[in-house]
Amino acid sequence: MSYMRSSCGSSLNLDHALAARELDHTERSNLEASIFRQRLQAAENLYQRNLAGHYGCVNALEFSHGGEYLASGGDDKRVLLWHVDQTLASVGQEQPNVMYGEHASNIFCLGFDSHNKYIFSGGNDDLVIQHDLGTGKNLNYFSHDGPVYGLSVDRTSTNLFSVATEHGEILVYDLRAGKTDPLAIAKFRTPFNAVEFHPLNGNFLATANAKRGAQLWDLRHHTQALCQYNYITESPSCMSVRFNCNGSLLLTLHRRLPPILYSPSSSEPLCSFYHDEYFNSCTMKSCTFAGPQDELVVSGSDNFNMFIWRLDGVDLEKKNQWIDTLPVILTGHRSIVNQVRYNRQRCLLASSGVEKIIKFWSPFAQHGWEGSLMEPSDTPYCTRTLHRNASDHVSQDFSTRNMEEDQVMLAFFDTLVQRELEAWNCMSSTGNATGHQTISSDSSSASSTEHSESSTQSEEEQSEVDTPNVSELSWLTHPNRIFYLIAKKRRALLELAVKGTGGQHRNVEQLLARLMGEQRQVATQARISEWLEETHRLFGDDDLPTTSAEAAARERSRRESISQPASRSPRKPPELRKVESLQTSFEQLDRKRKLMRLRFAAIKRRCTVRRPRVEVQENDTADAYDADWPEEEDDNVAPLAAHEANDVNNDDDDSNSNPDDSTSNTSMEAQLSQAPSTSNSLHFLLDATEANNNSQMAENNNNKINNLIPTTGTCHSETTTSTTSSSSQANI
């Protein structure tokens, strides 16, 4: 009896301990989720870190259930397994496990089973390989009629997985039945790019097709799609579908469109996300939910950035909403970003693309990580120089195991993006699918299976597509050519995004005008920043002015303070002041005469080249003289000083290269003096007479100076020298 009581008491204690542990785990999970949510809500940026391990582009990423592992695959035909916690702890010493079995070509998709025992990989060699996670060995091969673009493992079962093929099939395999006779859910003539099982009900799956867009299927009744989501005629090609953690929301990504959010049970979209710099067209991209409660939407872009939109302003009871609130823009990739995945347990984002590296993003600062949480990036774009004319053929050799950046590959995709933007014309768009970028490593060439529209449209059609007045925007708003080309297509992209909201009526012109106004505002802010830097350079560590009027007042006061010591100097006698003013007049006359001589030389050279008739030459020469003569005031000393420096150099050059210029100028004057009495020639003779009068005035002034200062001093000698040179030049 006592034994029964003790055993009963111990069982109660065990139940109480298990319940307490479960409650503690729940509370700890809620606390972590709350911290994650607060950090992500306040984030304007994220900390980042690079993982190096692949020898080519990284085309596929997938976190395991529970977030302990990350699988990656790419052009180097290898599947790498990263232990997340060990990778985070070791900076610069990442050593992922490599699965033994390699594909014969590029890897496009990956998946974990629900118990994290197997990794499934599909690729361009028409195969799906089942790897053992513990040993890395290959367990099974599943062959298909074409490349495998998408793969998804049922989270509610350990035996079911589905694949999406280029051959236009959606196949569901049951491991218990072997690899023969899979269930064919759909059979189309156009490729399927992605497939995704519902996270809570394995009877439903979503697909992305190159012509049919996004669809929902029921495995029990698969003769036709259960739901056809908003079909966008101008851009039917869907490249990614993704459920949130409880399957209440579905995210889709179409070519040239930002992500679109749906309720799985409705064909109308809940909302469309938009940003004028986002663009996806040239490569297959994915989108994903992020955050403890899937309150974020993440996708990569062809401008090398990642975009994170918040769901704060989305009303789940309304349809066709337009979300253009400013997203968080993550910079750091040096080429196109294709794949994005979120680790819910560790609040960790992973991204990859054309580069050989994988990037981790986190709202927590860690040793060896770069970036910030509250401050956006100083340079919201890639700073490297873009390539424009790369070769259409790329050779890859993975035998060298080189993990350094491949400039040839970057140049290839730089050129691909720019050509796509330049050639795209929405007037003739037929919504062709964007294929997976396939670069063959076993041959010396690379072939792109991208289906871009023909670039043979007319000038009128191209002008209708391009956004007007883009060139009026500051270059600071277009940091490189890809940003500039996206801005030129902004009108077409905006119209396409509006159509993606389910046909909801919106004034595209008003949206475009607002965007253009915002761009001008950004450019103005950039110019203001440059102005503030310049004023800081002028005023040093003083308080910076807040307005241009204040800056001008400070500049005037600064100049006055500099000129004050000169004004306090003893006043000169009136005789000396008169002498200085006369010297200034002589110098100005001397400069004008030098200019006159240079004009004669220029006229002579032009006439020598043209060789026209005498009458025409006379008129043209006089016209050229009048047109080229600089209009200057006598008191404008600063411009004359600049002319004097140039004239002295020109005089030296002319004296060395053309020794008989004075003779040529004299003959030119004689020729002009004998010309018919036209208005131009009369004007020229009047100017010559005025020059002689000026020289005579100079001689009279010189006599006055001699009478005024009879002693032979420095001023008298300088004046005499100046007068002599002036008289000789006047005689010339």
Side-chain angles (χ1 to χ4, degrees), residues 104-164:
S105 188
N106 315 54
I107 296 174
F108 291 143
C109 51
L110 294 165
F112 286 87
D113 74 309
S114 57
H115 292 168
N116 293 335
K117 292 183 178 180
Y118 311 123
I119 302 176
F120 297 88
S121 61
N124 194 47
D125 57 357
D126 307 344
L127 292 178
V128 170
I129 302 178
Q130 181 185 4
H131 310 268
D132 185 270
L133 189 144
T135 64
K137 296 180 179 179
N138 295 348
L139 300 179
N140 246 327
Y141 293 89
F142 302 86
S143 181
H144 303 85
D145 295 332
V148 178
Y149 288 164
L151 188 150
S152 178
V153 182
D154 185 4
R155 302 181 191 178
T156 64
S157 171
T158 59
N159 301 305
L160 298 180
F161 72 93
S162 62
V163 297

Side-chain angles (χ1 to χ4, degrees), residues 225-357:
L226 184 65
C227 181
Q228 170 69 62
Y229 297 107
N230 179 37
Y231 185 78
I232 307 170
T233 307
E234 293 78 9
S235 181
S237 177
C238 184
M239 57 181 68
S240 177
V241 287
R242 196 78 174 174
F243 285 103
N244 64 343
C245 61
N246 59 13
S248 61
L249 296 174
L250 177 66
L251 197 62
T252 68
L253 188 65
H254 287 249
R255 187 186 186 192
R256 301 195 183 102
L257 286 176
I260 302 175
L261 186 66
Y262 290 90
S263 172
S265 59
S266 175
S267 61
E268 288 188 87
L270 292 173
C271 67
S272 294
F273 301 92
Y274 180 78
H275 190 270
D276 60 298
E277 293 178 356
Y278 180 86
F279 182 74
N280 78 86
S281 180
C282 292
T283 57
M284 297 303 300
K285 297 178 182 61
S286 66
C287 54
T288 188
F289 290 94
Q293 295 181 338
D294 295 329
E295 65 270 20
L296 304 175
V297 169
V298 188
S299 182
S301 172
D302 282 346
N303 69 349
F304 311 165
N305 290 342
M306 289 172 58
F307 290 76
I308 302 179
W309 288 273
R310 293 184 171 92
L311 298 182
D312 298 342
V314 178
D315 187 348
L316 299 181
E317 301 299 325
K318 295 182 179 180
K319 303 292 184 184
N320 302 315
Q321 300 169 75
W322 180 261
I323 306 299
D324 58 357
T325 53
L326 189 65
V328 177
I329 301 178
L330 302 181
T331 62
H333 278 283
R334 292 169 59 81
S335 192
I336 302 173
V337 184
N338 291 332
Q339 298 299 320
V340 288
R341 290 293 185 269
Y342 178 68
N343 188 324
R344 186 180 308 278
Q345 290 74 21
R346 290 159 180 78
C347 195
L348 194 68
L349 267 173
S351 62
S352 68
V354 173
E355 302 165 89
K356 297 179 181 181
I357 55 100

Side-chain angles (χ1 to χ4, degrees), residues 13 41 67 129 144 175 183 196 214 251 289 312 324 371 393-394 396 405 420 459 486 565 571 654 684:
N13 292 335
Q41 284 178 349
I129 302 178
H144 303 85
L175 296 178
L183 177 63
E196 177 85 358
L251 197 62
F289 290 94
D312 298 342
D324 58 357
H393 302 280
V394 180
Q396 294 189 105
E405 187 173 79
E420 159 68 14
E459 295 287 340
I486 292 174
R571 193 174 181 84
D654 291 337
F684 177 81

Side-chain angles (χ1 to χ4, degrees), residues 712-724:
T712 58
T714 306
C715 293
H716 176 71
S717 61
E718 291 178 356
T719 307
T720 306
T721 305
S722 156
T723 307
T724 306

